[in-house]
Amino acid sequence: MKRQQIIIFGTGEIAELADFYFTHDSEFEVAGFTVDGAYLKQTEFRGRPVVAFERLLEQFPPDRYGIFVAVSYAKINAVRAEKVAAARAKGYALATYLSSRATAFAGFVPQENCFILEDNTIQPFARIGANVTLWSGNHIGHHAIIEDDVFLASHVVVSGGVRIGQGSFVGVNVTIRDHVTIGKKCVLGAGALVLEDQPDFSVVAPRGTERSPVPSTRLRNL
Ligand SMILES: CC(C)(COP(=O)(O)OP(=O)(O)OC[C@H]1O[C@@H](n2cnc3c(N)ncnc32)[C@H](O)[C@@H]1OP(=O)(O)O)[C@@H](O)C(=O)NCCC(=O)NCCS
């Protein structure tokens, strides 16, 4: 059976990874890539054509091709959300990647343009919006709600009943206590421990561990 054809928006590292994951672990086949005309520096990427987004309809029409927007969390996820809206406006269906190595249960319905990598655990009754990236290894507790356009880095603990507001960024190793609500467009920095609700646009970021004044050469037992 012929696989569904998609075009990936982007030619950066995330696009390279998206191509890898879709090719090796999905029902989709990546036919080519697209970027905004102003950023078009190459006609080929990973052995397939790159076309200007402005000319995509001519070469890869939406009745035959879907699209996946492989863009990072730039401008706190606004760039990716803009590109998703632009693709939708041109009439494209947006593909989603759900790793075969992620754990999800009956009743979980992935929305469009999600990128859900290996070792994510999505417990029953959790809901995940559109255009959400779950990098590898997160725990999404039961009854949690992740709104549209959110990006979770790796090894985040989203406890049961947590809500993460639209467009928020959650860094590596963040822990969010059960039933806490994170507002829209928040940034939770790497390693944050979040025990209470946060208003829209909050930044919660712990300082990194301080370097010892003692050099490693002076440690006696190592
Ligand atoms: C929290 C985080 C986003 C801050 O980013 P940043 O680029 O260092 O922030 P900036 O340098 O632009 O800082 C902006 C302001 O916030 C302040 N700030 C930054 N980190 C802070 C912290 N931990 N505590 C208090 N204030 C902080 C800065 O002092 C600065 O204030 P100023 O403008 O008055 O000088 C970053 O440290 C982080 O945790 N990123 C996520 C890493 C991660 O998970 N990566 C995986 C991606 S897949």
Side-chain angles (χ1 to χ4, degrees):
M1 208 175 73
K2 202 162 175 292
R3 294 166 80 191
Q4 286 184 63
Q5 305 271 302
I6 56 166
I7 302 299
I8 289 180
F9 188 107
T11 51
E13 288 182 355
I14 294 188
E16 188 176 9
L17 279 161
D19 180 34
F20 182 93
Y21 282 116
F22 275 116
T23 299
H24 294 290
D25 184 36
S26 84
E27 76 272 27
F28 296 102
E29 184 172 16
V30 179
F33 298 84
T34 185
V35 294
D36 287 329
Y39 294 90
L40 189 64
K41 303 271 185 294
Q42 61 205 107
T43 54
E44 223 184 82
F45 183 64
R46 295 176 64 79
R48 277 145 296 161
V50 185
V51 302
F53 186 61
E54 293 81 348
R55 310 200 59 182
L56 195 61
L57 289 170
E58 298 158 30
Q59 289 190 48
F60 297 105
D63 56 339
R64 289 177 47 212
Y65 298 91
I67 198 165
F68 177 76
V69 178
V71 168
S72 73
Y73 42 82
K75 301 227 161 88
I76 321 184
N77 298 307
V79 176
R80 200 173 70 258
E82 268 167 34
K83 299 307 170 197
V84 165
R88 227 183 252 141
K90 279 187 194 278
Y92 287 96
L94 287 129
T96 266
Y97 172 70
L98 172 62
S99 172
S100 62
R101 294 172 175 81
T103 304
F105 297 90
F108 173 65
V109 184
Q111 307 296 308
E112 58 185 17
N113 212 72
C114 287
F115 198 39
I116 301 176
L117 303 189
E118 62 275 9
D119 300 327
N120 278 286
T121 295
I122 302 167
Q123 288 196 314
F125 308 114
R127 280 189 283 146
I128 294 175
N131 193 31
V132 168
T133 298
L134 301 182
W135 214 262
S136 53
N138 301 292
H139 167 88
I140 313 298
H142 62 92
H143 299 94
I145 296 174
I146 298 185
E147 295 182 4
D148 294 349
D149 311 320
V150 165
F151 189 107
L152 261 69
S154 294
H155 290 234
V156 174
V157 177
V158 177
S159 305
V162 160
R163 184 179 198 109
I164 302 183
Q166 183 271 330
S168 290
F169 169 86
V170 183
V172 288
N173 262 317
V174 168
T175 297
I176 309 174
R177 183 194 167 153
D178 54 292
H179 296 99
V180 158
T181 294
I182 308 295
K184 294 181 197 314
K185 293 267 174 197
C186 288
V187 171
L188 308 182
L193 171 62
V194 185
L195 302 178
E196 54 192 26
D197 292 356
Q198 302 296 332
D200 296 351
F201 305 106
S202 296
V203 175
V204 182
R207 298 280 179 205
T209 307
E210 213 180 291
R211 185 171 56 247
S212 167
V214 173
S216 61
T217 50
R218 271 190 46 206
L219 296 174
R220 280 181 285 273
N221 298 311
L222 267 182

